Amino acid sequence: MILGHIGARRGSKGVPGKNFREIQGKPLIDWSLDMLFAHPKVDAVVVSTDDEEIYAHAIAKGALEIGLRPAELATDTAPKWGVWQHALEASEQALGQQVSAFLDLDCTNPLRVPEDITGALSLFETEKPDMVMSVCEARKNPYFNLVEPDEDGALQVCKKLPGGVWARQSAPKVYEHVGCVYVVAPEYLQTAKTIYEGRVLPFEIPSIRGFDIDEPHDFGLVQYLLGELNAGRL
């Protein structure tokens, strides 16, 4: 039993109402929600939200009825992990059975393709980690071109290696954590307190598909990228 999940809180400091804002002809959440419903490996879908309109929209499409999320999980400081734990527990009660994999898609990452879900699930099934997390190669590297001020205010590279790193290609590979897809073992989600307590494996995607909508101007950029993706140019 693979449970597909989307978290869609009502509030947003950067872009108010962004999860239900229309992009390329449909609400932002539907770029993720429709993909879950269409994927052959997803057995059930749930949306965790404090927004009555989003909740009714999800139920009408066929999502599980778990009610609105608790108030303490509806703030902008509420941890994603706690939201996931509540959604898993409520969904298992609604289903009347245990879930074998908890699959989460951030609804602010509409550029994923079905192969991203398939690939992450395959990695989870093959390697049997506690969690699979989508990543992309970081544009900036803390061993080379990310800097921070020292106690005197002078800039130093964030992570130093003996002899230094003088070319980006020579620096250790680092990733950006992106919200394209997560797959979590239910027993790990139920017992761990944070994401990184267990064995978390990276599922690498192209950086262009890891773009997240955080600011108002991001909508225009993502709208353009969606057009390029749908035309087969990405």
Side-chain angles (χ1 to χ4, degrees):
M1 166 61 71
I2 295 177
L3 175 67
H5 170 267
I6 294 173
R9 192 168 56 86
R10 179 195 295 123
S12 172
K13 286 185 175 179
V15 188
K18 68 178 177 181
N19 292 325
F20 214 46
R21 180 173 168 179
E22 192 169 290
I23 184 169
Q24 285 275 354
K26 62 182 181 181
L28 176 60
I29 188 175
D30 280 0
W31 288 94
S32 301
L33 193 55
D34 291 348
M35 194 168 287
L36 283 179
F37 281 119
H39 200 282
K41 288 196 170 185
V42 177
D43 300 297
V45 176
V46 65
V47 172
S48 172
T49 183
D50 62 329
D51 188 302
E52 293 182 359
E53 185 179 15
I54 290 176
Y55 182 71
H57 178 77
I59 298 303
K61 280 179 166 282
L64 295 175
E65 297 189 39
I66 64 166
L68 299 178
R69 70 170 67 166
E72 65 271 17
L73 296 176
T75 68
D76 56 6
T77 58
K80 181 191 292 283
W81 200 248
V83 171
W84 286 359
Q85 288 175 327
H86 171 264
L88 173 62
E89 181 181 2
S91 296
E92 288 187 332
Q93 290 177 359
L95 289 165
Q97 67 180 98
Q98 291 186 323
V99 168
S100 59
F102 183 88
L103 166 70
D104 176 79
L105 308 183
D106 272 13
C107 70
T108 54
N109 283 79
L111 291 164
R112 76 177 61 78
V113 295
E115 290 76 15
D116 294 329
I117 297 175
T118 302
L121 286 172
S122 296
L123 179 60
F124 182 78
E125 292 165 5
T126 301
E127 296 295 327
K128 296 178 171 50
D130 293 306
M131 180 174 174
V132 168
M133 173 192 293
S134 55
V135 299
C136 64
E137 187 171 3
R139 295 178 184 271
K140 299 293 183 179
N141 193 298
Y143 294 94
F144 177 60
N145 54 6
L146 280 181
V147 295
E148 60 186 354
D150 61 18
E151 61 275 11
D152 295 321
L155 292 178
Q156 305 289 339
V157 69
C158 289
K159 299 189 74 170
K160 295 182 180 180
L161 291 177
V165 176
W166 305 108
R168 187 175 184 275
Q169 295 79 3
S170 302
K173 190 172 185 178
V174 295
Y175 296 110
E176 293 181 23
H177 165 193
V178 297
C180 176
V181 57
Y182 307 83
V183 188
V184 192
E187 58 273 18
Y188 178 62
L189 180 53
Q190 290 163 341
T191 58
K193 294 182 179 180
T194 63
I195 287 177
Y196 300 106
E197 285 182 23
R199 182 170 177 247
V200 180
L201 296 185
F203 176 72
E204 188 171 357
I205 64 170
S207 60
I208 199 69
R209 295 212 299 271
F211 200 93
D212 190 58
I213 295 178
D214 282 325
E215 302 294 338
H217 65 265
D218 293 338
F219 268 93
L221 179 55
V222 169
Q223 184 134 313
Y224 165 76
L225 292 174
L226 277 170
E228 292 294 289
L229 181 65
N230 292 335
R233 291 189 289 265
L234 285 181

